[in-house]
Structure formats: C-alpha cells, structure tokens
Amino acid sequence: MTVNPTRITKVVSRYIYGHFIEHLGRCIYGGIYEEGSPLSDERGFRKDVMEVVKKLKVPVLRWPGGNFASNYHWEDGIGPKDQRPARFDLAWRSVETNRFGTDEYIEYCREIGAEPYICLNLGTGTLDEAVHWLEYCNIKESTYYASLRRKYGHPEPYGVKFWGIGNEMYGEWQVNRMTADEYAKVAREYAKWMKVVDPSIKTIVVGHDDPEWNLKVLDVSGPYIDYISYHFYTGSEDYYETVSTAYLLKERLLGLKKLIDMSRVSKKGQIKLALDEWNVWYRVTEEGLEEPYELKDGLFACGVLIMLQKMSDIVPIANLAQLQNALGAIHTEKDGLYVTPVYRAFELIVNHSGQNLVETHIETETYDIDGRMFFTKTPFELTGVPYVDASATTSADGKKLYLTVVNYKKEDAVKISITIKGMGEKTARAYVLSGPDVHARNSMDHPNVVDIVCEQVKVGSQFTHTFKPFSCTVIEIERD
C-alpha cells in the first residue's frame, strides 16, 4: 500500500454518512421517540438513543419514508398533538398516530446536527400539498402556511434543503405506482414548481435498476433536478456473497452515472447520485423488519463507506436504511439499547476519517464470485473482487492522516507493507473493528461482542502492519 498525503484527489462529501428514519415498525415510535418512557426527555425523544446517534455525527437524515411517504399527508402531523388524527397506513398496514410530524422531525435533526431531507407523497398527495409543505418549512413571508408554522411555535424558517420527489414509484408495493412516462412528467412538474417557491432547494428524483426508466426520468425532468436516487439491499448467509456486493453496488452506481452522461440533459455534470437507501436485509420479512445484524454485515457497510469516500464526487449523498430497530443500526428495548455491527462500521469510519481523500494505491489478491440477489433472486457475477480494500484521508488542516483498511479474508490475517511519502517514524493509534467470528452479533446481554478496540502502532515512511481477518482498521496518524 502506497499513500501520498500531500496529493489530494477529491474532497469527501460529508453527506455520504447519512441515515434514514421511516414510520415503520419501531423505527420512530419506540425507537427515537417514546412518549412516557423514563428514558425519554420532555419532548418524547429517547435520551439513550440520542446519545449514541450523536456519536455518528449524522450529516443528513431522510424522512418520513420510504414506502410510508406515498400515503402520508403532512398536515396530519402538525399542530397540537392531541388534535392530530390517527390514520391507517397503507404501506405497512399499521395505525399512524401522527404524534411525530414535521416539527418534531426538524427539532430532532437540529438536536443531532443533521440536515433534513424530506421525501414527498407522490402516491395519494398532490402538487399543491407538496408546495404547501415547502412553504411551511422554508418561507419567511407571511403566507398562510408560513404563518401556520409561526402559530405552532416556530417563527424562523426551517431551511430544508433536500426534497425527494417520491419513493420507488416504479414498484407494485408503492401506493399509486407509475410508469416511467407518468413519473417523469410528474417529477418534472413537482421539481419545477417547488423551485419557484424556493430556488435554493435540491431535488432528488426516483431512480431504478431499469435503464429505460432512468433515461426517461432524466430526459424529461433533468432541467429541474439535482440528484437521481438509487436503492440497494443485499445479504446472504454466505460471508463472501454478502461482503462482495459492495462492489456490485459500485458497478450499479457507475452504470447509473453512465446513463446520466447518455441522457439529453444539457448540464449533465450537475446531476449527481443519491444512494438514499442501502443496507443488508434478507433474514426478516415480518412486521417490524428487525434484522439481526452480524459482523459480516458491518464489514459490508465498511466496504460501502470506503467505496463512497472514493466516489463522493459522483455520489455525494447516501442514507443507511435505517437508523434504529427497523433494519436498524441501533436496537432498543424498553429499558435500554445496544448497537449493531453496522452501527460500529459508521462509528469507526465517521469518527476516524478526514475530509480530503489522498492518493492511495494498494495491491491485493482477488477472488471471483457467483451470487444471487436476495429480493429479485437475480444472479450476479463479480470478478477481481479484492480481499483487501483501503482509502486514505487527511483532516482539513492536513495534520491528521487516516488509513482505512478492510481485510475481508475470513481465514487469514494479512501483512501489508505500507509506504507513506514524507512520513517520519512515530507512534500512531490503530482502531480495529472485529469480533470472534463473522456471524458474531451484539445483544442486550452482550453488547460489545463486536466492538472497536484501540492499540498503539509504530509507523514511518515504510512499515508493515498485520491486519486481522474479517476486520476493518483505521490507523490514525498525527502528522508533523
């Protein structure tokens, strides 16, 4: 591995470390928000959850869905809580109390330091409703909905920057499923007129695995959009089949980038990708979707985050689905919580990475794999998948260097010869995410089976380091 800390190749977008909350199972109610719990504050926010969420420095938080968005009427969730109507949610066949709505969401974002990202209702909603929601959130003038915001105790505009124009509108599971032609026209109108209300917003349209869908949406709505989204869920009992799909995801994202370049959009470089749902999901299909995450799932997440660091000029936004309980990085119970290996991946890389990606080269053994996607059962083939992957970043002031190395080898530790140009000999810290085996899980009784440990290591212009099997390591170096 060779690293040149003075050669910056790109600035890493902080939004790649984003998360997502949806009105699904115990993600919000019983997750981040639990009124009446001794663990909650006077607003209903779980204090123990907020404490571990803040450790992730969440840069952007997507809400309210997901599938839930396609039959969510935002006006049900504002005003006095006891006067808000309960509604039947078509997406997840549940009762939505509407006690957590726009104002609570914005307050939570402000509390954890996240940019809000609102996904609009294109199922049962209307353009009027979407424009009014934007007006409620962002307008300072004395219009009806801005005045309503003030009436409910929020005098200053929220300044919501990111607006998703629907969710997975191609899917038969979505309320008011649309064809590519239908969606492209609707997306164009929503994006166009919302930018009349607030030209500063960024709009995100629905992308798909179908190239024809994507090209139609790009060609028709392109002049008014800033991002096209992509969703990716993976997972298998097989270790290598799971971790290798970080590279399948890379192929899919690069393919979508090529479609942008092929489209008739005049300013192609201005349309980026938003990976606004991604995670491991294959074990559970019952209500609540509380997937029990293992170390191998956390290592997949490490691989995705390393890939996103390298691709953040193309994919500046990403959102793990989801933050807690429902496909959650965090798992709560009435009397406490524990964090999963997927949480640990974010904890490691978010807190031990810099904003500048620097020139890095690594030579590693590779393998080939034939796999099958969980949802679609579509087979895939990957060749040249690396057993070891790495990135290197520096802090904004250049005083810290972070070497992030994931060793996917299940059987063996890997000894790597590392060259750092211009580096003198010194002691550094190595943060290692690992566990007893690839299927290791955390639990309420055993919350630290998969954990991050810190050790001191000697580094210099040339040194060797042995990386544990099935582990991710960040070597954090104070530069002169």
Side-chain angles (χ1 to χ4, degrees), residues 83-109:
Q83 296 176 24
R84 298 179 189 179
R87 304 286 191 192
F88 186 81
D89 169 36
L90 297 173
W92 303 113
R93 291 186 52 78
S94 61
V95 175
E96 171 54 47
T97 65
N98 283 303
R99 294 186 70 83
F100 185 96
T102 301
D103 299 320
E104 290 77 22
Y105 162 68
I106 295 294
E107 188 168 1
Y108 198 78
C109 286

Side-chain angles (χ1 to χ4, degrees), residues 201-215:
I201 66 170
K202 303 297 182 182
T203 54
I204 303 166
V205 293
V206 173
H208 188 17
D209 278 318
D210 179 3
E212 292 185 7
W213 169 283
N214 294 330
L215 276 174

